[in-house]
Amino acid sequence: MRTTTTTITITVALLLAAATACSGSGDPEKQVAKPSTTENTKTSKENTATEPSARREAPRALGKPFSFTTDGATMVMTVLSYEQGRFHPRQSADEEFGTIGYTWAAVEIKACLKNGVGAVTRYPWALAYADGARIKPSGVTYGDFPKPEYPYAATVKPGECVRGKTVFAVPAKQRPELVLYTSTTLRTPAEWSVPKA
């Protein structure tokens, strides 16, 4: 049975709007103190040294957690597994989206809120390919998709974890290089390497 996501999309939009309203300007660049342009060289160097680095980290291995704090809430995200072409729901990816040569893939995710107030959704997740393509999660779900399913949107209490699988329609003959967590609260996406096979 197919479930459409109109109601869920509205719910997610409301959750994201609330999260944005709680996080200040929503623009990470505006929240970072910039070095002053005074003539005092020492002061400029000191200000630059305290500015957070936007340097990209190496991709994590599957199972390695990523922790970040926003507005006093600390969340730990972990990509547990990636599977492609191993499950075959009654509705194929090609039938669903009118494509040729696509199959279903699933990413298993675990999110734990350490403290503060938080919510999770599947929409910041993406798959990245060597050619630069990025694929977002499927907007549809079926009863025979892999279980448990990662929620479209859910609030999380401090000390609570949410775990589940998010499904993507992907090219059957290609494999992504990375699983990305692309939340707008991060300066750069968190990355996990996808094994070759």
Side-chain angles (χ1 to χ4, degrees), residues 3-15 123 139 152-153:
T3 304
T4 58
T5 60
T6 304
T7 303
I8 293 168
T9 302
I10 292 169
T11 303
V12 169
L14 291 173
L15 280 172
Y123 294 106
Y152 280 96

Side-chain angles (χ1 to χ4, degrees), residues 23-93:
S23 63
S25 71
D27 185 353
E29 293 295 325
K30 293 179 182 174
Q31 297 172 5
V32 175
K34 299 295 180 188
S36 63
T37 55
T38 64
E39 299 205 9
N40 184 339
T41 309
K42 183 177 180 183
T43 303
S44 286
K45 286 181 181 177
E46 286 172 356
N47 287 342
T48 303
T50 61
E51 185 175 320
S53 172
R55 184 181 82 220
R56 286 183 72 163
E57 296 179 21
R60 292 160 183 74
L62 295 183
K64 186 174 179 184
F66 167 72
S67 178
F68 65 98
T69 301
T70 303
D71 293 331
T74 301
M75 184 75 77
V76 179
M77 298 288 193
T78 310
V79 175
L80 301 173
S81 66
Y82 176 83
E83 59 180 313
Q84 177 176 321
R86 294 184 184 164
F87 59 97
H88 304 283
R90 283 179 281 179
Q91 183 84 358
S92 74

Side-chain angles (χ1 to χ4, degrees), residues 10 13 153 155 186:
I10 292 169
T155 56
L186 304 177

